[in-house]
Amino acid sequence: MDEPHLLEFLISIAGSAALLIWAVRLVRTGVERGFAAPLRIWLRHSSRNKLLAASTGMVTAVFLQSSTAVAVLVSNFVAKRGLATGTGLAILLGADVGSAVVTQLLVVRQPILIPLLLLVGVSAFLRGEASGTRQLGRIMIGLALIFVSLDMIRAATGPMVANPATQIAMGYLGRDLVTAFVIGAGFAWVVHSSVAAVLLFVTLAGQGVLPPTAAAAMIMGANLGGAFIAYVLTHSSPLESRRMVVANLALRGGGAILATILIAFAPDLLSELGSTPARQAINLHLAFNLTLALLALPVVGPIAFAITRIMAEKVMPEIQQEVVSALDPAALDRPQRGLDCAARELLGMGQKIELMLVSVEPLYDQWNAATAKAIIEQDQTIKQKHLEVKLYLAKLGKSGLDEELSRRSLELASISASLDSASDAIARIMLDLAKRLDAQKLKFSKRGREEINDFSDRVHSNVQLALNVMMNQNPAEARELVAAKDKVRQVEQKLQRNHIGRLREGLAESIDTSNIHQETLRALKQINTAFSMVGYPILAKSGDLLESRLV
């Protein structure tokens, strides 16, 4: 192949792969933005048995098109002791199967789906007023672009099938399965999506570019790479959540290595999985994850016990203390840079408060003095940071700021005050309520505890969204954050009515914990309101915010 044609081919493949990666992320973003809170609640309610947990993980991975996203979600529940390690591992095993099911669905060629999905998706995204409708449109657009990217890959690789140089290179991968395995794992890691990697390898196998054995080894490598993504993303999480991710990495990665060795010694086994190389590759991916889940689910308990012994907890986890401040004194004579420093400091405050929120909830079930002390100390740190931010912004203003920078300075000061109030709600209100539960030997009713858990999950989801908005200043996400404030208020009112209904029924547990239950809901709403304030300045600047709500 001459140089111009080679360059054209490389650009076509790179562009097609980039579109595939972006389209998969587009679908996942739509699901996370539109349906994150219901998914979090659904996942946590799956702890009744291992089969239900695995089924929930599988369905959630199909919606999110990512087992990694499921792992990150579940890690929060395990960290808060809302799920046991064994249950979390069962969910991850199901999520791996769900991720394989996604590739089965997306590899099917249905030309009519592309224009249909684009037509409906774009209409819903542009004309939809509700956030859920817009995100559903985003999901449809992403699915259409996945099919487009796969067609582009097929079109680009078509002329390469009969090329001698291609046959030599791909033939080498067919003989060197170790290299093929490493390439598969590395590519999945680089694109941060095992789904995108598997779809690419299956498409290349279907075009005859990749030999079946090479495609199989690369898909097994993608399974290892996909499990490793979750390990890296949760590396700084509490030990409880890292245990299940490490166990899943060991099972999926170890199984992928064994499967590759088996393929190397018995390549004829692939013919049992389908009549074409593409079908063999895609069926291998599903068969591997399904077999792994069926073998591991009955023994998730012993596996969880073993990983707990291996990754033993050395000390009670404490909230990390930040040493370095983002408030650079040298930037005081450069107002724009100084305001950026203050914004970075506020982001660090928000992340600390999120960790406080994660840490306080388990205390409602089991009091721990060390964790309570760490939360109090963290609250003092937040208050000190709040004071430092105010003083820093005041010093910036001494040199004189133009109208825009002055407005930004006031916005940052307001956000800092809101974050301080959120920290206070956790350390002063929620911590005190949890201590009262322990001191008086009280327990919430089963339904009351579930409501608080669900409400806390919803608030935590909004806190994470607020942190994203602080980083990217995205008006669309800011609008979603502010809209979620009203939704939280409506849910809180509904839960208060539910609680009053249980009081009318005379449930002893509800009567004993009535004040604690209601005050906890109000505290969580206060935290949500504090973080939602992050979105208001962005919406005011973009013209999406009314000056007054008065008629």
Side-chain angles (χ1 to χ4, degrees):
M1 176 178 285
D2 54 28
E3 185 174 339
H5 286 130
L6 177 60
L7 181 60
E8 181 181 349
F9 167 74
L10 292 176
I11 292 175
S12 298
I13 285 293
S16 304
L19 179 61
L20 174 61
I21 295 164
W22 184 74
V24 170
R25 178 168 294 187
L26 190 66
V27 174
R28 186 166 66 246
T29 301
V31 175
E32 289 175 345
R33 290 185 182 179
F35 311 100
L39 284 176
R40 291 169 66 91
I41 293 171
W42 187 27
L43 278 172
R44 194 171 43 75
H45 285 179
S46 66
S47 59
R48 295 183 181 90
N49 60 67
K50 292 179 290 188
L51 186 59
L52 176 62
S55 301
T56 303
M58 182 181 71
V59 175
T60 306
V62 170
F63 279 117
L64 288 173
Q65 302 212 341
S66 171
S67 57
T68 302
V70 177
V72 174
L73 280 175
V74 175
S75 68
N76 292 326
F77 304 136
V78 177
K80 294 191 292 184
R81 294 180 172 86
L83 285 177
T85 301
T87 303
L89 178 58
I91 292 176
L92 294 193
L93 291 169
D96 294 337
V97 177
S99 179
V101 170
V102 168
T103 60
Q104 290 277 346
L105 298 175
L106 295 180
V107 81
V108 178
R109 297 184 69 177
Q110 294 291 341
I112 190 62
L113 277 180
I114 295 176
L116 183 61
L117 286 170
L118 285 173
L119 176 63
V120 178
V122 171
S123 299
F125 185 78
L126 294 180
R127 296 184 176 274
E129 296 183 0
S131 176
T133 303
R134 290 173 57 83
Q135 299 311 325
L136 189 60
R138 186 191 299 270
I139 293 168
M140 291 182 176
I141 295 170
L143 289 173
L145 292 180
I146 288 174
F147 294 131
V148 170
S149 66
L150 294 178
D151 284 343
M152 289 174 61
I153 293 171
R154 294 185 185 103
T157 55
M160 297 295 296
V161 176
N163 187 275
T166 303
Q167 293 178 350
I168 293 173
M170 296 299 109
Y172 171 76
L173 287 179
R175 295 187 300 272
D176 188 355
L177 298 191
V178 173
T179 300
F181 182 90
V182 172
I183 290 174
F187 184 78
W189 161 250
V190 169
V191 303
H192 264 48
S193 173
S194 61
V195 171
V198 169
L199 286 175
L200 177 62
F201 302 150
V202 169
T203 304
L204 293 177
Q207 291 295 98
V209 177
L210 274 179
T213 51
M218 294 173 82
I219 286 174
M220 289 299 98
N223 277 276
L224 171 61
F228 189 72
I229 295 169
Y231 171 77
V232 173
L233 291 179
T234 59
H235 184 66
S236 60
S237 300
L239 183 63
E240 293 87 347
S241 59
R242 283 190 284 121
R243 285 172 181 153
M244 66 164 189
V245 175
V246 170
N248 185 59
L249 173 61
L251 289 172
R252 197 176 179 192
I257 293 172
L258 292 177
T260 304
I261 294 173
L262 180 61
I263 292 168
F265 284 99
D268 293 339
L269 290 176
L270 294 175
S271 61
E272 301 295 327
L273 296 174
S275 57
T276 65
R279 183 46 56 187
Q280 292 171 10
I282 198 71
N283 286 345
L284 171 66
H285 184 47
L286 178 60
F288 166 74
N289 284 284
L290 187 57
T291 302
L292 183 65
L294 292 175
L295 292 176
L297 275 177
V299 292
V300 290
I303 292 174
F305 177 77
I307 199 68
T308 301
R309 295 291 298 272
I310 294 171
M311 300 176 65
E313 193 168 7
K314 298 178 181 179
V315 294
M316 188 66 196
E318 295 184 359
I319 302 173
Q320 296 180 352
Q321 300 293 324
E322 186 177 281
V323 177
V324 180
S325 173
L327 302 176
D328 184 7
L332 287 173
D333 58 345
R334 287 174 287 178
Q336 181 60 63
R337 182 173 176 181
L339 291 175
D340 291 340
C341 291
R344 283 171 46 210
E345 188 77 348
L346 292 180
L347 178 62
M349 289 172 60
Q351 291 171 332
K352 288 177 178 296
I353 296 169
E354 180 193 14
L355 188 54
M356 291 171 64
L357 181 61
V358 170
S359 301
V360 75
E361 189 174 339
L363 300 185
Y364 277 77
D365 297 314
Q366 183 177 0
W367 180 257
N368 185 283
T371 302
K373 180 182 178 183
I375 291 173
I376 293 173
E377 291 175 351
Q378 190 69 296
D379 178 55
Q380 295 300 319
T381 301
I382 295 297
K383 293 189 180 308
Q384 180 62 32
K385 293 289 183 183
H386 173 47
L387 176 62
E388 291 173 359
V389 168
K390 287 193 298 183
L391 295 176
Y392 188 82
L393 293 174
K395 291 178 182 178
L396 273 178
K398 284 184 177 180
S399 58
L401 302 177
D402 60 33
E403 183 178 351
E404 182 178 352
L405 292 181
S406 178
R407 177 175 51 80
R408 178 61 175 158
S409 177
L410 290 175
E411 291 169 356
L412 293 177
S414 176
I415 292 173
S416 180
S418 296
L419 294 179
D420 180 60
S421 71
S423 175
D424 197 66
I426 296 172
R428 307 297 176 190
I429 301 175
M430 295 186 69
L431 199 62
D432 179 65
L433 295 174
K435 190 173 183 179
R436 281 166 56 188
L437 273 179
D438 178 70
Q440 299 174 24
K441 307 299 181 185
L442 299 175
K443 292 288 184 182
F444 290 120
S445 66
K446 182 179 179 182
R447 182 58 188 157
R449 188 66 180 106
E450 287 180 355
E451 288 180 351
I452 288 178
N453 282 338
D454 293 348
F455 194 59
S456 178
D457 289 339
R458 184 180 293 275
V459 171
H460 188 199
S461 178
N462 291 338
V463 167
Q464 292 178 324
L465 177 59
L467 295 176
N468 290 338
V469 171
M470 291 176 71
M471 285 189 294
N472 57 34
Q473 299 289 296
N474 188 317
E477 289 191 348
R479 189 180 187 91
E480 180 185 349
L481 177 64
V482 173
K485 176 187 172 185
D486 289 335
K487 181 64 176 177
V488 164
R489 177 175 55 81
Q490 295 168 7
V491 172
E492 190 261 346
Q493 290 175 350
K494 177 184 176 182
L495 295 181
Q496 295 284 11
R497 290 194 298 269
N498 292 346
H499 178 69
I500 297 299
R502 288 193 295 273
L503 293 180
R504 292 195 185 106
E505 295 172 4
L507 294 178
E509 291 175 320
S510 296
I511 295 173
D512 292 339
T513 60
S514 177
N515 289 340
I516 296 176
H517 183 101
Q518 292 183 303
E519 290 177 33
T520 298
L521 292 177
R522 282 192 286 267
L524 287 169
K525 186 180 74 170
Q526 179 181 337
I527 295 167
N528 185 83
T529 299
F531 274 89
S532 69
M533 300 308 292
V534 171
Y536 281 90
I538 300 172
L539 297 182
K541 186 176 181 180
S542 64
D544 291 325
L545 195 66
L546 297 176
E547 292 184 4
S548 174
R549 297 179 63 181
L550 296 175
V551 177

